Amino acid sequence: MSEQSCGLTVGVDVGGTKIAAGTVDPAGGVVSRARLPTPRDPDRIADAITEAVRRVREGRDDVRAVGVGAAGYVDAERSTVRFAPNLGWHDKAIRDIVQEATGLPVVVENDANAAAWGEFVHGAGAGHEDMLMVTAGTGFGGGIVSRGRLFRGRFGMAGEIGHYRAVPDGLPCPCGQHGCMEQYASGAAHTRRARDMAAADPGRAAAVLALGDGTPAGLRGRHVAEAARGGDRFSLEVFTQSGRWLGQALADLASVLDPSVLVIGGGLGEAGELIRRPTEVAYRRALGGGAHRVYAEVRTATVGQDAGLIGAANLARLDELISSPAVRF
């Protein structure tokens, strides 16, 4: 059985506010979609995932498997979400629940890992064997691909790159630590930085403040990007400062992992060259070795908001192929 013959698979991206699902073909094309609000009751979320799968599968008899991407710690067997604070899950056996409800094989993966895999197979990581992707949004996550395989670690929890401590005794983090890189390099940190800088010098920030409600508290990331694209010096400086932290994070990670391509995803990655350029400059400055070092290419994600959905669907496809009795290795 070839990958092309594996029909459609369903990818589900489970977030704190929405559940996005889609049937995905082998080329990464989303054939049908469904979107549901994430229930506030943790015990109802699995039912909502099942309903999303039912909707995108309706009228189709060639769906082979389901991949579920969820923010949280997923076990080595890709079956149980050990802990997902945004969803209220503790040791939730998602694979068994969805598998029983749908009658299809199910794979569960961390959402950032799924997004990284989607970019690796169909996006900015295509053509590389070793890729590191960071997702700079509300949080700061990522995924690691090594020798063409998703690196999950012994217990399935590798890639939690937002929670290494970049600043000892630094800013408090919801994970319980202080100084996690998430508090400095995430999209949320970028917005907070813009607000703090605007509060310190509102005159210099006048152009970007005018795009919101006129106050630093009313600033949003989209305002900073819009003003920066128009050449606003204040907003460009915000991107420079954020790029320094993001570049430092990439250099730290590249020192350990030595990938051939570094991909910036998440909301901050959607800013394109505004964030890529200062990040690459900072990354090259921070990576040890100087002229003796080979630098990885720095790119922004190309698959976009569908990366997690498409990546989860592709992981389900691979799992179905590997487990098929027609496949021999």
Side-chain angles (χ1 to χ4, degrees):
M1 181 191 298
S2 69
E3 183 175 337
Q4 293 296 322
S5 67
C6 194
L8 301 174
T9 51
V10 174
V12 185
D13 189 4
V14 184
T17 60
K18 66 175 175 61
I19 296 171
T23 50
V24 181
D25 65 26
V30 181
V31 178
S32 61
R33 297 177 182 270
R35 179 175 172 138
L36 287 74
T38 303
R40 294 187 178 183
D41 181 353
D43 292 331
R44 294 179 54 212
I45 297 175
D47 291 336
I49 293 171
T50 299
E51 173 60 17
V53 173
R54 185 196 67 78
R55 290 188 187 184
V56 298
R57 189 185 177 192
E58 193 169 11
R60 302 178 183 279
D61 58 6
D62 57 348
V63 174
R64 299 295 301 269
V66 177
V68 178
Y73 297 111
V74 179
D75 69 358
E77 287 72 35
R78 298 193 300 178
S79 64
T80 300
V81 179
R82 292 296 187 193
F83 180 49
N86 292 334
L87 301 173
W89 282 346
H90 300 267
D91 293 322
K92 195 75 170 178
I94 293 300
R95 183 179 68 184
D96 292 345
I97 294 170
V98 178
Q99 209 161 257
E100 182 177 353
T102 64
L104 293 170
V106 175
V107 168
V108 183
E109 186 53 84
N110 170 270
D111 62 339
N113 279 352
W117 188 253
E119 285 290 341
F120 173 71
V121 176
H122 296 295
H128 292 265
E129 287 291 297
D130 298 274
M131 182 196 86
L132 169 70
M133 178 174 168
V134 294
T135 52
T138 303
F140 189 67
I144 303 161
V145 177
S146 178
R147 295 295 186 265
R149 294 177 178 269
L150 186 63
F151 179 73
R152 306 185 72 252
R154 172 59 184 86
F155 304 107
M157 299 178 189
E160 290 291 334
I161 60 179
H163 297 288
Y164 77 86
R165 293 209 287 172
V167 181
D169 301 318
L171 294 171
C173 182
C175 76
Q177 298 280 13
H178 284 75
C180 292
M181 183 55 85
E182 179 170 288
Q183 298 306 309
Y184 302 90
S186 65
H190 174 73
T191 301
R192 185 182 66 242
R193 183 171 294 114
R195 291 171 178 170
D196 291 346
M197 291 170 62
D201 193 349
R204 187 163 175 258
V208 69
L209 287 172
L211 297 175
D213 62 6
T215 69
L219 271 183
R220 300 289 184 268
R222 66 179 184 276
H223 299 146
V224 182
E226 181 181 345
R229 290 190 182 99
D232 177 55
R233 291 186 178 182
F234 172 87
S235 299
L236 289 169
E237 177 59 24
V238 175
F239 274 103
T240 296
Q241 295 297 330
S242 294
R244 286 175 183 169
W245 280 107
L246 191 49
Q248 180 65 61
L250 294 183
D252 293 344
L253 295 163
S255 293
V256 177
L257 300 169
D258 193 30
S260 61
V261 64
L262 299 160
V263 179
I264 306 168
L268 200 50
E270 292 177 6
E273 286 297 290
L274 289 174
I275 191 62
R276 195 203 68 80
R277 285 194 301 266
T279 296
E280 182 173 36
V281 169
Y283 153 70
R284 287 174 171 262
R285 287 176 177 169
L287 192 64
H292 303 286
R293 188 83 189 213
V294 177
Y295 296 99
E297 185 178 357
V298 179
R299 298 178 176 179
T300 51
T302 59
V303 176
Q305 295 183 355
D306 283 337
L309 184 158
I310 291 172
N314 188 270
L315 288 168
R317 184 184 311 282
L318 291 176
D319 194 71
E320 170 69 3
L321 285 169
I322 291 170
S323 62
S324 170
V327 176
R328 297 288 182 266
F329 292 96

